[in-house]
Amino acid sequence: MTAITLDYDHIQPFLPQKEILALQPEIDTLHAALENGTGAGADYLGWLHLPSQITKEQLSDIEQTAKHIRAHCDVFVSIGIGGSYLGARAATSFLGSTFENQLTKDQRGGPEIHFAGQNLSSDYHADLFDVIGDRDVCLNVISKSGTTTEPAVAFRLLKEMLEKRYGKPGAKKRIVVTTDQAKGALKTLADEEGYKTFVIPDDVGGRYSVLTPVGLLPIAVAGIDIRELVEGAKTAESVASAGAAMEKNLAYLYAGIRHLLYQKGKTLEVLASFHPSMAYVMEWWKQLAGESEGKEQKGIFPASVLYTADLHSMGQWVQEGNRILFETFLNVKTSNRQLKVPAFENDDDGLNYLAGKTLDFVNDKAYQGTAMAHREGDVPNMTLTLKDRTPDSLGQLFYFFERAIAMTGYLMQVNPFDQPGVEFYKKNMFTLLNKPGYGKG
Ligand code: PA5
């Protein structure tokens, strides 16, 4: 069952329905290019039918490894950056407790989960060592290229710690590598050391890799049902592959609206959620959209806000600042647990008008009021609503966004599957660091 709906009533004053419908022939052509592998970046379309092609054996292998880690480790560190980091972080924070690492191991049923290698901060990694302390630790180092500096540095630090603590053979049992099947320094190291290794398919780029072992292993270590996640993605895959008609294919409707607003000068999209559990889903989306579309001097700048907190900071800008933006609300229809505002006998704080109402009810009114205010403030806005906080719904959302962003990239006539711009800072950094082959800084 489809878990996602798209409401675009607050778009209509800015973008008449007939303009949206007029885009259908172009979307039909680009859908065929995606499905037939005839568009830009066709070598990286492995994600397109990944959910329906993952085998039971592949899932079992990931689940077995995760089970071992859950049983033997107090702390699990997932090391990676960009697409080798954000999918797992999005899923574990969306589906887990807001305070997961503060729960006891018994409450969690598995290790504390931390992330490393997504920055080069000395304090971040030193603080991580403090948190690990003398507890049993396992690592999953994830890098498709196997040469990315940030995770390589973090892995070196943590590998040294493990080898001092457990000796080389003991450390080996606690390290899992996720990388290319043949290339890269990490692959060479994994072969030399004999680490358990998972392969990232050649035809799946980093930001489209959450449903490969890149995302699935850390997600399974968090105790999340990865079969349900993949099933959800499979549902979204079958909806998106069934046809390009925007009335049914909501990923393309969302893509079409984004593209048309962009053409009208709305060059910034704010993804806004009233649910803190969505924070890292929005970070994942920002990478997916930003790296896929931002090239050749084109692209919608993807930003995110967490309401209602940000209504008291960025809300002013959204309401009355430069009118270059449109907004997409990312809602969840029902929370997993319901709290009600209590009634107080003497209504000192004046809140008895809310007594007996659920926080979901109040939060929803805050959303509705915001959407209306922003429409009045000339911010076109639409709402994606996810049925619930389950692996199935999240799997659908991951796939939905992948399809939508690929389609928007094609509509903008860019290759959504490369990221040539990322190399520029690396070249300068390597030169400044005197990396062999890069000359003197
Ligand atoms: O989407 C991408 O391809 C990038 O964001 C990569 O995921 C990121 O640069 C990390 O690369 P790697 O997995 O090779 O270390």
Side-chain angles (χ1 to χ4, degrees):
M1 187 184 140
T2 310
I4 301 167
T5 56
L6 174 60
D7 173 353
Y8 60 106
D9 274 3
H10 292 319
I11 292 286
Q12 310 269 349
F14 309 89
L15 183 62
Q17 180 74 3
K18 67 173 189 318
E19 282 187 44
I20 299 174
L21 294 177
L23 198 62
Q24 189 63 59
E26 202 179 334
I27 292 212
D28 290 345
T29 307
L30 297 174
H31 172 71
L34 259 180
E35 287 288 343
N36 300 329
T38 53
D43 288 348
Y44 288 94
L45 287 176
W47 59 273
L48 201 63
H49 295 294
L50 186 69
S52 57
Q53 284 168 1
I54 300 174
T55 64
K56 286 196 181 101
E57 292 70 31
Q58 285 168 326
L59 290 172
S60 294
D61 192 10
I62 294 169
E63 284 167 343
Q64 286 312 313
T65 306
K67 196 171 160 194
H68 180 84
I69 293 171
R70 279 173 70 75
H72 293 94
C73 310
D74 298 324
V75 184
F76 170 74
V77 186
S78 176
I79 305 170
I81 194 166
S84 293
Y85 156 58
L86 285 161
R89 185 132 205 192
T92 52
S93 47
F94 180 66
L95 295 168
S97 160
T98 312
F99 306 101
E100 191 79 15
N101 282 344
Q102 277 77 52
L103 300 175
T104 63
K105 193 176 177 191
D106 281 349
Q107 285 170 316
R108 270 194 313 270
E112 249 175 51
I113 298 186
H114 295 280
F115 294 88
Q118 78 280 34
N119 63 66
L120 290 163
S121 160
S122 182
D123 279 341
Y124 181 95
H125 290 90
D127 290 348
L128 178 62
F129 277 79
D130 290 347
V131 164
I132 295 170
D134 57 6
R135 293 181 296 164
D136 275 331
V137 58
C138 293
L139 309 179
N140 178 203
V141 54
I142 309 162
S143 177
K144 184 171 185 202
S145 62
T147 57
T148 309
T149 311
E150 291 90 334
V153 169
F155 182 46
R156 216 179 235 231
L157 291 169
L158 285 152
K159 180 175 185 281
E160 183 189 55
M161 184 186 107
L162 257 67
E163 287 180 354
K164 275 188 190 150
R165 187 174 293 183
Y166 305 107
K168 254 183 180 294
K172 182 180 140 182
K173 290 190 199 136
R174 296 170 174 277
I175 294 173
V176 180
V177 169
T178 308
T179 192
D180 187 84
Q181 61 176 330
K183 298 187 298 287
L186 185 57
K187 172 65 183 161
T188 310
L189 183 70
D191 286 348
E192 274 169 21
E193 303 276 12
Y195 296 142
K196 164 78 183 163
T197 303
F198 287 96
V199 171
I200 309 172
D202 277 344
D203 56 0
V204 181
R207 58 193 174 275
Y208 289 83
S209 69
V210 59
L211 298 169
T212 71
V214 167
L216 293 180
L217 178 61
I219 293 170
V221 171
I224 293 164
D225 184 342
I226 56 170
R227 283 177 201 255
E228 190 186 323
L229 186 81
V230 170
E231 271 308 307
K234 211 165 134 184
T235 302
E237 177 195 329
S238 66
V239 171
S241 299
M246 284 184 279
E247 71 211 56
K248 292 210 177 115
N249 192 325
L250 297 185
Y252 290 171
L253 177 60
Y254 170 59
I257 292 173
R258 296 177 81 238
H259 179 61
L260 292 168
L261 290 171
Y262 172 68
Q263 287 186 320
K264 288 178 187 286
K266 303 293 181 189
T267 53
L268 195 157
E269 178 177 10
V270 180
L271 193 65
S273 187
F274 286 74
H275 303 274
S277 60
M278 281 288 190
Y280 275 98
V281 174
M282 298 199 292
E283 292 302 314
W284 173 85
W285 168 87
K286 277 198 281 198
Q287 191 217 348
L288 182 69
E291 272 192 348
S292 301
E293 296 167 9
K295 51 199 72 161
E296 298 174 35
Q297 319 244 318
K298 299 180 191 171
I300 297 166
F301 185 87
S304 66
V305 286
L306 255 188
Y307 294 153
T308 60
D310 282 333
L311 287 172
H312 297 257
S313 63
M314 295 306 292
Q316 171 59 38
W317 203 104
V318 176
Q319 188 68 43
E320 294 187 325
N322 193 348
R323 301 297 71 187
I324 55 167
L325 75 162
F326 65 97
E327 193 171 31
T328 302
F329 292 101
L330 191 50
N331 275 352
V332 184
K333 203 166 169 52
T334 44
S335 292
N336 286 346
R337 291 181 293 172
Q338 297 295 336
L339 293 181
K340 285 185 179 167
V341 179
F344 281 2
E345 207 168 299
N346 63 7
D347 188 19
D348 285 353
D349 54 7
L351 269 188
N352 269 357
Y353 77 102
L354 293 179
K357 300 276 192 290
T358 64
L359 261 64
D360 268 6
F361 175 84
V362 181
N363 209 17
D364 191 51
K365 297 299 170 223
Y367 146 68
Q368 287 175 24
T370 305
M372 282 157 60
H374 290 178
R375 172 189 171 151
E376 283 154 21
D378 283 338
V379 179
N381 61 76
M382 57 188 151
T383 302
L384 284 168
T385 303
L386 202 59
K387 187 163 66 63
D388 50 27
R389 260 177 88 190
T390 57
D392 178 84
S393 292
L394 182 64
Q396 294 199 33
L397 189 67
F398 277 146
Y399 190 86
F400 173 95
F401 276 138
E402 289 176 353
R403 267 282 177 160
I405 297 299
M407 176 53 77
T408 321
Y410 275 6
L411 284 164
M412 286 179 185
Q413 298 183 350
V414 296
N415 176 354
F417 309 116
D418 66 2
Q419 55 284 330
V422 178
E423 296 311 310
F424 285 74
Y425 96 91
K426 289 186 192 168
K427 207 166 108 276
N428 292 341
M429 177 177 80
F430 293 152
T431 305
L432 293 165
L433 287 169
N434 290 330
K435 181 173 174 171
Y438 284 83
K440 284 232 173 277

